[in-house]
Amino acid sequence: MRIAVIYIAARLITTLFLFLAAELSGFGSRMGPDANLGSTIVAWDGTWYWLIGYAGYPSELPLTDAGQIAENAWAFLPIYPYLSQWVSWPFGQWAAGALIVSLVAGYAASLVLYRLLRLRLDASAATWAVLFFACGPLAALFQVGYAETLNLLWLFCALWCVMRRRYGWLYLLIPLMAFTRPGVLAFSLFLALFGIWRWFRRRSEPLGGREIAHIVLLGLLAAVAGFAWQVIAGWVTGDPGAYLSTELAWRRNWILGDASFAPFDAFAAGIEFWFGTMWGLPVVWGYIAVGAGLVALACALLFLPQVKRLGVELRLWSASYLLYLLLVFFPQSSIFRLLVPLSPLWGAFAVPRSRAWRICVLVACLLGQWWWIYNMYALGNTAWQVP
Protein backbone atom coordinates (compact mmCIF):
# COMPACT_ATOMS: atom_id res chain seq x y z
CA MET A 1 0.00 0.00 0.00
CA ARG A 2 2.85 2.40 0.83
CA ILE A 3 4.40 1.86 -2.59
CA ALA A 4 1.06 2.56 -4.30
CA VAL A 5 0.61 5.83 -2.38
CA ILE A 6 4.18 6.89 -3.17
CA TYR A 7 3.80 6.03 -6.83
CA ILE A 8 0.47 7.84 -7.29
CA ALA A 9 1.73 10.97 -5.51
CA ALA A 10 4.90 10.95 -7.58
CA ARG A 11 2.94 10.62 -10.82
CA LEU A 12 0.73 13.57 -9.91
CA ILE A 13 3.84 15.71 -9.39
CA THR A 14 5.30 14.57 -12.72
CA THR A 15 1.99 15.29 -14.45
CA LEU A 16 2.12 18.85 -13.12
CA PHE A 17 5.70 19.26 -14.35
CA LEU A 18 4.84 17.91 -17.81
CA PHE A 19 1.78 20.16 -18.02
CA LEU A 20 3.91 23.20 -17.16
CA ALA A 21 6.51 22.16 -19.74
CA ALA A 22 3.83 21.84 -22.40
CA GLU A 23 2.48 25.28 -21.52
CA LEU A 24 5.98 26.77 -21.73
CA SER A 25 6.78 25.07 -25.04
CA GLY A 26 7.32 27.60 -27.83
CA PHE A 27 8.20 27.76 -31.51
CA GLY A 28 11.78 26.74 -30.81
CA SER A 29 10.79 23.62 -28.89
CA ARG A 30 10.54 20.16 -30.41
CA MET A 31 6.87 20.02 -29.34
CA GLY A 32 5.93 23.46 -30.68
CA PRO A 33 3.69 26.21 -29.27
CA ASP A 34 0.50 24.11 -29.31
CA ALA A 35 1.87 21.33 -27.11
CA ASN A 36 -0.24 19.56 -24.51
CA LEU A 37 0.17 16.56 -22.21
CA GLY A 38 -0.50 14.22 -25.11
CA SER A 39 2.37 15.81 -27.01
CA THR A 40 4.81 14.77 -24.30
CA ILE A 41 3.91 11.09 -24.72
CA VAL A 42 4.83 10.97 -28.40
CA ALA A 43 7.67 13.51 -28.33
CA TRP A 44 11.22 12.56 -29.28
CA ASP A 45 11.67 8.75 -29.40
CA GLY A 46 7.98 8.35 -28.63
CA THR A 47 7.35 9.29 -32.26
CA TRP A 48 9.49 6.37 -33.45
CA TYR A 49 7.73 3.93 -31.13
CA TRP A 50 4.38 5.23 -32.38
CA LEU A 51 5.50 4.74 -35.99
CA ILE A 52 6.59 1.17 -35.26
CA GLY A 53 3.28 0.42 -33.53
CA TYR A 54 1.34 1.53 -36.60
CA ALA A 55 3.60 0.69 -39.53
CA GLY A 56 6.23 -1.76 -38.29
CA TYR A 57 9.80 -1.82 -39.56
CA PRO A 58 10.98 -0.89 -43.07
CA SER A 59 12.13 -3.73 -45.33
CA GLU A 60 14.30 -1.25 -47.21
CA LEU A 61 16.61 1.11 -45.34
CA PRO A 62 16.00 4.82 -46.09
CA LEU A 63 18.93 6.84 -47.40
CA THR A 64 19.98 10.45 -46.99
CA ASP A 65 20.67 12.74 -49.94
CA ALA A 66 24.34 11.81 -49.52
CA GLY A 67 23.51 8.12 -49.91
CA GLN A 68 24.07 7.23 -46.25
CA ILE A 69 21.60 5.18 -44.21
CA ALA A 70 19.20 7.58 -42.52
CA GLU A 71 17.62 7.41 -39.08
CA ASN A 72 14.92 4.71 -39.08
CA ALA A 73 12.85 2.43 -36.89
CA TRP A 74 15.41 -0.39 -36.68
CA ALA A 75 17.16 1.49 -33.86
CA PHE A 76 14.20 0.66 -31.57
CA LEU A 77 13.20 -2.74 -30.25
CA PRO A 78 9.70 -4.15 -30.77
CA ILE A 79 8.10 -5.25 -27.48
CA TYR A 80 7.18 -1.81 -26.15
CA PRO A 81 5.66 -0.30 -29.33
CA TYR A 82 3.68 -3.42 -30.21
CA LEU A 83 2.47 -3.94 -26.64
CA SER A 84 1.40 -0.28 -26.51
CA GLN A 85 -0.41 -0.70 -29.82
CA TRP A 86 -2.28 -3.73 -28.49
CA VAL A 87 -3.22 -1.96 -25.24
CA SER A 88 -4.36 1.11 -27.19
CA TRP A 89 -6.94 -0.84 -29.21
CA PRO A 90 -9.98 0.10 -27.03
CA PHE A 91 -8.92 3.76 -27.01
CA GLY A 92 -8.04 4.25 -30.67
CA GLN A 93 -4.86 6.20 -29.84
CA TRP A 94 -1.39 4.68 -29.58
CA ALA A 95 -0.44 7.36 -27.04
CA ALA A 96 -3.09 6.06 -24.64
CA GLY A 97 -1.68 2.56 -24.82
CA ALA A 98 1.88 3.84 -24.39
CA LEU A 99 0.88 5.84 -21.32
CA ILE A 100 -0.85 2.84 -19.74
CA VAL A 101 2.07 0.50 -20.42
CA SER A 102 4.61 2.97 -19.03
CA LEU A 103 2.54 3.71 -15.93
CA VAL A 104 1.72 0.09 -15.12
CA ALA A 105 5.24 -1.12 -15.83
CA GLY A 106 6.63 1.69 -13.68
CA TYR A 107 4.40 0.75 -10.76
CA ALA A 108 5.31 -2.93 -11.09
CA ALA A 109 9.00 -1.98 -11.31
CA SER A 110 8.63 0.05 -8.10
CA LEU A 111 7.14 -2.95 -6.31
CA VAL A 112 9.90 -5.25 -7.52
CA LEU A 113 12.58 -2.69 -6.64
CA TYR A 114 11.22 -2.61 -3.09
CA ARG A 115 11.37 -6.42 -2.86
CA LEU A 116 14.83 -6.39 -4.41
CA LEU A 117 16.23 -3.89 -1.92
CA ARG A 118 14.50 -5.58 1.03
CA LEU A 119 16.88 -8.50 0.48
CA ARG A 120 19.66 -6.23 1.78
CA LEU A 121 18.03 -3.21 3.48
CA ASP A 122 15.38 -2.63 6.13
CA ALA A 123 11.83 -1.61 5.20
CA SER A 124 12.42 2.09 5.87
CA ALA A 125 15.48 2.36 3.63
CA ALA A 126 13.85 0.32 0.85
CA THR A 127 10.75 2.53 0.97
CA TRP A 128 12.79 5.73 0.76
CA ALA A 129 14.77 4.27 -2.14
CA VAL A 130 11.54 3.62 -4.04
CA LEU A 131 10.44 7.18 -3.25
CA PHE A 132 13.69 8.52 -4.77
CA PHE A 133 13.20 6.23 -7.77
CA ALA A 134 9.58 7.32 -8.34
CA CYS A 135 10.43 11.03 -7.95
CA GLY A 136 13.87 10.98 -9.51
CA PRO A 137 15.25 13.32 -12.17
CA LEU A 138 14.15 10.92 -14.95
CA ALA A 139 10.69 10.24 -13.51
CA ALA A 140 9.02 11.60 -16.65
CA LEU A 141 9.87 8.26 -18.26
CA PHE A 142 7.05 6.73 -16.22
CA GLN A 143 4.57 8.77 -18.27
CA VAL A 144 5.94 9.12 -21.80
CA GLY A 145 6.26 6.84 -24.83
CA TYR A 146 9.64 5.37 -23.94
CA ALA A 147 10.49 1.71 -23.25
CA GLU A 148 12.57 2.40 -20.13
CA THR A 149 10.05 1.51 -17.42
CA LEU A 150 9.07 -1.75 -19.11
CA ASN A 151 12.73 -2.68 -19.39
CA LEU A 152 13.32 -1.76 -15.75
CA LEU A 153 10.55 -4.17 -14.75
CA TRP A 154 12.29 -7.05 -16.55
CA LEU A 155 15.69 -5.97 -15.21
CA PHE A 156 14.61 -5.69 -11.57
CA CYS A 157 12.90 -9.09 -11.79
CA ALA A 158 16.07 -10.57 -13.30
CA LEU A 159 18.30 -9.10 -10.59
CA TRP A 160 15.91 -10.39 -7.92
CA CYS A 161 16.11 -13.86 -9.46
CA VAL A 162 19.90 -13.80 -9.38
CA MET A 163 19.99 -12.58 -5.79
CA ARG A 164 17.56 -15.33 -4.76
CA ARG A 165 19.33 -17.94 -6.96
CA ARG A 166 16.09 -18.62 -8.83
CA TYR A 167 17.53 -18.94 -12.30
CA GLY A 168 14.61 -20.55 -14.14
CA TRP A 169 12.70 -17.30 -14.74
CA LEU A 170 15.77 -15.74 -16.38
CA TYR A 171 15.25 -17.88 -19.47
CA LEU A 172 12.14 -15.76 -20.09
CA LEU A 173 13.33 -12.45 -18.68
CA ILE A 174 16.53 -12.24 -20.72
CA PRO A 175 14.74 -12.42 -24.12
CA LEU A 176 12.19 -9.89 -22.83
CA MET A 177 15.00 -7.48 -21.96
CA ALA A 178 16.75 -8.15 -25.26
CA PHE A 179 13.71 -7.09 -27.31
CA THR A 180 12.64 -4.16 -25.13
CA ARG A 181 15.77 -2.01 -24.77
CA PRO A 182 19.44 -2.38 -25.77
CA GLY A 183 21.70 -3.41 -22.92
CA VAL A 184 21.23 -7.13 -22.39
CA LEU A 185 24.90 -7.63 -23.34
CA ALA A 186 25.70 -5.87 -20.07
CA PHE A 187 23.64 -8.54 -18.32
CA SER A 188 25.74 -11.20 -20.03
CA LEU A 189 28.87 -9.58 -18.65
CA PHE A 190 27.21 -9.34 -15.24
CA LEU A 191 26.46 -13.07 -15.24
CA ALA A 192 30.05 -13.83 -16.19
CA LEU A 193 31.37 -11.72 -13.30
CA PHE A 194 28.73 -13.15 -10.97
CA GLY A 195 29.77 -16.70 -11.93
CA ILE A 196 33.42 -15.91 -11.18
CA TRP A 197 32.45 -14.43 -7.82
CA ARG A 198 30.33 -17.48 -6.97
CA TRP A 199 33.25 -19.76 -7.87
CA PHE A 200 35.66 -18.00 -5.52
CA ARG A 201 33.22 -18.10 -2.61
CA ARG A 202 31.95 -21.64 -3.24
CA ARG A 203 33.24 -22.78 0.16
CA SER A 204 31.06 -20.33 2.08
CA GLU A 205 28.08 -20.79 -0.28
CA PRO A 206 28.12 -24.20 -2.00
CA LEU A 207 28.15 -24.03 -5.79
CA GLY A 208 26.64 -27.08 -7.42
CA GLY A 209 26.91 -28.26 -11.00
CA ARG A 210 23.30 -27.31 -11.72
CA GLU A 211 23.89 -23.69 -10.68
CA ILE A 212 27.09 -23.54 -12.74
CA ALA A 213 25.17 -24.80 -15.78
CA HIS A 214 22.43 -22.18 -15.27
CA ILE A 215 24.92 -19.31 -14.98
CA VAL A 216 26.88 -20.39 -18.05
CA LEU A 217 23.80 -21.07 -20.20
CA LEU A 218 22.09 -17.84 -19.15
CA GLY A 219 25.23 -15.82 -19.86
CA LEU A 220 25.41 -17.36 -23.33
CA LEU A 221 21.68 -16.75 -23.85
CA ALA A 222 22.10 -13.07 -22.94
CA ALA A 223 25.04 -12.78 -25.37
CA VAL A 224 23.11 -14.41 -28.21
CA ALA A 225 19.97 -12.38 -27.45
CA GLY A 226 22.07 -9.23 -27.44
CA PHE A 227 23.04 -9.75 -31.08
CA ALA A 228 19.72 -11.23 -32.23
CA TRP A 229 18.16 -7.92 -33.27
CA GLN A 230 21.13 -7.15 -35.48
CA VAL A 231 20.63 -10.50 -37.23
CA ILE A 232 16.89 -9.90 -37.64
CA ALA A 233 17.42 -6.40 -39.04
CA GLY A 234 19.98 -7.72 -41.49
CA TRP A 235 17.75 -10.60 -42.58
CA VAL A 236 14.67 -8.41 -43.16
CA THR A 237 16.50 -5.59 -44.97
CA GLY A 238 19.11 -7.67 -46.78
CA ASP A 239 21.87 -5.53 -45.25
CA PRO A 240 23.95 -7.36 -42.60
CA GLY A 241 25.03 -4.03 -41.11
CA ALA A 242 21.53 -2.54 -41.01
CA TYR A 243 21.30 -2.14 -37.24
CA LEU A 244 24.77 -0.70 -36.67
CA SER A 245 24.41 1.64 -39.65
CA THR A 246 21.08 2.83 -38.27
CA GLU A 247 22.56 3.51 -34.84
CA LEU A 248 25.47 5.37 -36.39
CA ALA A 249 23.02 7.56 -38.32
CA TRP A 250 22.11 9.22 -35.02
CA ARG A 251 25.75 9.94 -34.26
CA ARG A 252 26.01 12.00 -37.45
CA ASN A 253 23.77 14.55 -35.71
CA TRP A 254 26.87 15.45 -33.70
CA ILE A 255 29.81 14.32 -35.82
CA LEU A 256 29.92 15.10 -39.53
CA GLY A 257 31.12 12.55 -42.04
CA ASP A 258 31.22 8.78 -41.89
CA ALA A 259 30.96 7.13 -38.49
CA SER A 260 32.18 3.68 -37.60
CA PHE A 261 31.89 1.39 -34.61
CA ALA A 262 34.68 0.06 -32.44
CA PRO A 263 34.73 -0.54 -28.68
CA PHE A 264 35.37 2.70 -26.74
CA ASP A 265 35.51 4.65 -30.03
CA ALA A 266 32.12 6.34 -29.51
CA PHE A 267 33.01 7.53 -26.02
CA ALA A 268 36.36 8.87 -27.21
CA ALA A 269 34.65 10.67 -30.10
CA GLY A 270 32.19 12.18 -27.62
CA ILE A 271 34.96 13.52 -25.43
CA GLU A 272 36.61 15.15 -28.42
CA PHE A 273 33.28 16.61 -29.58
CA TRP A 274 32.22 18.11 -26.27
CA PHE A 275 35.55 19.32 -24.93
CA GLY A 276 37.13 20.25 -28.25
CA THR A 277 34.36 21.28 -30.65
CA MET A 278 31.61 22.49 -28.33
CA TRP A 279 33.46 23.94 -25.36
CA GLY A 280 36.81 24.83 -26.93
CA LEU A 281 38.76 23.16 -24.14
CA PRO A 282 41.82 20.90 -24.42
CA VAL A 283 40.60 17.40 -25.25
CA VAL A 284 43.02 15.96 -22.73
CA TRP A 285 40.96 17.63 -20.01
CA GLY A 286 38.05 15.50 -21.13
CA TYR A 287 40.03 12.29 -20.79
CA ILE A 288 41.25 13.37 -17.36
CA ALA A 289 37.69 14.24 -16.25
CA VAL A 290 36.28 10.94 -17.52
CA GLY A 291 39.17 8.98 -16.00
CA ALA A 292 38.68 10.69 -12.64
CA GLY A 293 34.95 9.99 -12.80
CA LEU A 294 35.53 6.32 -13.54
CA VAL A 295 37.99 6.01 -10.65
CA ALA A 296 35.47 7.68 -8.32
CA LEU A 297 32.70 5.33 -9.45
CA ALA A 298 34.93 2.30 -9.04
CA CYS A 299 35.89 3.40 -5.53
CA ALA A 300 32.23 3.94 -4.65
CA LEU A 301 31.25 0.47 -5.86
CA LEU A 302 34.18 -1.16 -4.10
CA PHE A 303 34.52 0.72 -0.84
CA LEU A 304 31.57 3.01 -0.04
CA PRO A 305 29.73 1.41 2.93
CA GLN A 306 26.30 2.54 1.72
CA VAL A 307 26.88 0.86 -1.65
CA LYS A 308 28.38 -2.27 -0.11
CA ARG A 309 25.18 -2.68 1.88
CA LEU A 310 23.33 -3.39 -1.39
CA GLY A 311 25.21 -6.63 -1.96
CA VAL A 312 27.73 -7.90 -4.46
CA GLU A 313 25.13 -8.69 -7.12
CA LEU A 314 23.90 -5.11 -7.50
CA ARG A 315 27.45 -3.79 -7.44
CA LEU A 316 28.52 -6.22 -10.16
CA TRP A 317 25.51 -5.27 -12.25
CA SER A 318 26.30 -1.56 -11.88
CA ALA A 319 29.93 -2.09 -12.88
CA SER A 320 28.92 -4.25 -15.86
CA TYR A 321 26.42 -1.73 -17.14
CA LEU A 322 28.81 1.20 -16.77
CA LEU A 323 31.47 -0.71 -18.71
CA TYR A 324 28.90 -1.51 -21.40
CA LEU A 325 28.08 2.20 -21.80
CA LEU A 326 31.77 3.02 -21.98
CA LEU A 327 32.20 0.45 -24.75
CA VAL A 328 29.30 1.44 -27.01
CA PHE A 329 27.75 4.81 -26.14
CA PHE A 330 28.42 8.21 -27.70
CA PRO A 331 28.09 10.56 -24.69
CA GLN A 332 25.45 13.26 -25.06
CA SER A 333 22.45 14.42 -23.05
CA SER A 334 20.75 11.02 -23.37
CA ILE A 335 23.35 9.72 -20.93
CA PHE A 336 21.02 10.71 -18.08
CA ARG A 337 18.30 8.44 -19.45
CA LEU A 338 20.73 5.63 -20.15
CA LEU A 339 21.83 5.65 -16.51
CA VAL A 340 18.33 4.67 -15.35
CA PRO A 341 19.21 0.91 -15.22
CA LEU A 342 21.45 1.84 -12.28
CA SER A 343 18.31 2.69 -10.25
CA PRO A 344 18.95 0.01 -7.58
CA LEU A 345 21.74 2.31 -6.39
CA TRP A 346 19.04 4.59 -4.98
CA GLY A 347 19.23 2.19 -2.07
CA ALA A 348 22.65 3.60 -1.18
CA PHE A 349 21.15 7.09 -0.91
CA ALA A 350 18.46 5.75 1.41
CA VAL A 351 20.79 3.92 3.80
CA PRO A 352 21.62 6.93 6.06
CA ARG A 353 18.86 7.10 8.67
CA SER A 354 18.94 10.89 9.00
CA ARG A 355 15.53 12.24 8.02
CA ALA A 356 17.13 15.57 7.05
CA TRP A 357 19.45 13.75 4.62
CA ARG A 358 16.61 11.79 3.06
CA ILE A 359 14.45 14.89 2.65
CA CYS A 360 17.36 16.74 1.03
CA VAL A 361 17.83 13.86 -1.44
CA LEU A 362 14.09 13.92 -2.23
CA VAL A 363 14.15 17.68 -2.83
CA ALA A 364 17.18 17.25 -5.09
CA CYS A 365 15.28 14.54 -7.01
CA LEU A 366 12.30 16.81 -7.59
CA LEU A 367 14.44 19.77 -8.61
CA GLY A 368 16.37 17.54 -10.97
CA GLN A 369 13.13 16.20 -12.38
CA TRP A 370 11.84 19.67 -13.20
CA TRP A 371 15.19 20.72 -14.67
CA TRP A 372 15.19 17.67 -16.97
CA ILE A 373 11.55 18.05 -18.05
CA TYR A 374 11.91 21.78 -18.64
CA ASN A 375 15.03 21.39 -20.78
CA MET A 376 13.98 18.30 -22.72
CA TYR A 377 10.32 19.16 -23.31
CA ALA A 378 9.70 22.87 -22.78
CA LEU A 379 12.92 23.79 -24.63
CA GLY A 380 14.38 20.76 -26.37
CA ASN A 381 16.15 22.61 -29.16
CA THR A 382 19.94 22.25 -28.70
CA ALA A 383 22.48 19.44 -28.72
CA TRP A 384 22.33 19.01 -24.95
CA GLN A 385 18.53 19.00 -24.73
CA VAL A 386 17.84 15.56 -26.19
CA PRO A 387 16.22 13.11 -23.73
Side-chain angles (χ1 to χ4, degrees):
M1 186 63 182
R2 285 178 299 174
I3 304 302
V5 172
I6 288 171
Y7 190 75
I8 292 171
R11 300 288 61 77
L12 291 175
I13 294 172
T14 301
T15 299
L16 174 61
F17 286 167
L18 289 171
F19 173 78
L20 291 174
E23 289 295 306
L24 294 172
S25 177
F27 288 98
S29 169
R30 178 79 171 227
M31 296 194 303
D34 299 322
N36 52 41
L37 281 175
S39 304
T40 64
I41 299 173
V42 294
W44 296 103
D45 288 357
T47 302
W48 286 106
Y49 285 118
W50 165 80
L51 180 64
I52 294 166
Y54 273 112
Y57 293 88
S59 58
E60 184 175 336
L61 294 173
L63 301 177
T64 65
D65 293 337
Q68 298 171 310
I69 293 176
E71 298 173 357
N72 65 85
W74 284 106
F76 303 91
L77 294 160
I79 289 181
Y80 178 79
Y82 286 139
L83 178 60
S84 298
Q85 176 69 6
W86 178 75
V87 173
S88 74
W89 181 78
F91 308 98
Q93 293 288 334
W94 182 88
L99 177 62
I100 292 170
V101 171
S102 293
L103 283 171
V104 173
Y107 175 61
S110 299
L111 290 174
V112 178
L113 179 62
Y114 176 80
R115 295 297 180 186
L116 178 70
L117 294 175
R118 281 291 286 123
L119 297 175
R120 297 291 184 268
L121 306 179
D122 59 36
S124 174
T127 300
W128 275 95
V130 172
L131 178 60
F132 300 154
F133 171 64
C135 296
L138 278 294
L141 294 173
F142 290 102
Q143 297 175 223
V144 297
Y146 274 68
E148 265 71 12
T149 55
L150 186 61
N151 190 62
L152 288 178
L153 173 59
W154 312 140
L155 172 63
F156 293 166
C157 287
L159 291 172
W160 183 89
C161 288
V162 173
M163 293 176 73
R164 293 297 303 271
R165 313 295 190 254
R166 297 182 180 180
Y167 300 106
W169 283 104
L170 291 174
Y171 291 95
L172 172 62
L173 289 167
I174 285 173
L176 287 173
M177 286 191 287
F179 290 95
T180 301
R181 278 283 305 154
V184 75
L185 289 175
F187 201 81
S188 179
L189 174 60
F190 159 66
L191 288 172
L193 296 176
F194 172 74
I196 294 171
W197 173 74
R198 287 287 290 114
W199 174 260
F200 279 105
R201 69 184 308 270
R202 63 189 184 280
R203 291 184 178 179
S204 58
E205 183 184 349
L207 178 64
R210 185 174 182 179
E211 184 175 358
I212 293 174
H214 275 310
I215 294 172
V216 171
L217 289 174
L218 288 166
L220 292 173
L221 174 62
V224 171
F227 290 104
W229 189 243
Q230 296 185 38
V231 175
I232 293 171
W235 176 66
V236 172
T237 63
D239 182 349
Y243 177 76
L244 279 180
S245 297
T246 297
E247 288 286 0
L248 292 173
W250 261 268
R251 197 190 302 180
R252 287 197 297 269
N253 292 326
W254 284 271
I255 299 178
L256 298 177
D258 292 330
S260 59
F261 174 79
F264 300 110
D265 180 64
F267 218 93
I271 292 172
E272 293 178 7
F273 171 76
W274 288 104
F275 280 82
T277 305
M278 290 294 290
W279 300 333
L281 299 173
V283 174
V284 67
W285 290 10
Y287 286 101
I288 293 173
V290 171
L294 291 174
V295 170
L297 286 170
C299 290
L301 292 175
L302 287 170
F303 306 117
L304 199 63
Q306 293 87 345
V307 179
K308 292 174 69 175
R309 283 279 301 275
L310 302 180
V312 171
E313 296 89 347
L314 296 183
R315 293 156 67 200
L316 287 176
W317 159 249
S318 300
S320 300
Y321 186 71
L322 287 170
L323 179 57
Y324 165 79
L325 289 182
L326 194 64
L327 284 166
V328 306
F329 182 63
F330 177 84
Q332 30 91 358
S333 57
S334 294
I335 188 68
F336 300 112
R337 175 169 56 85
L338 269 67
L339 290 175
V340 167
L342 300 177
S343 291
L345 293 180
W346 281 120
F349 289 88
V351 166
R353 291 180 175 274
S354 167
R355 182 174 292 273
W357 163 260
R358 289 171 169 175
I359 291 175
C360 286
V361 173
L362 178 59
V363 171
C365 285
L366 294 172
L367 291 175
Q369 182 182 164
W370 169 244
W371 179 89
W372 193 81
I373 290 174
Y374 175 71
N375 277 282
M376 305 304 169
Y377 289 92
L379 301 181
N381 57 4
T382 68
W384 58 271
Q385 293 170 328
V386 179

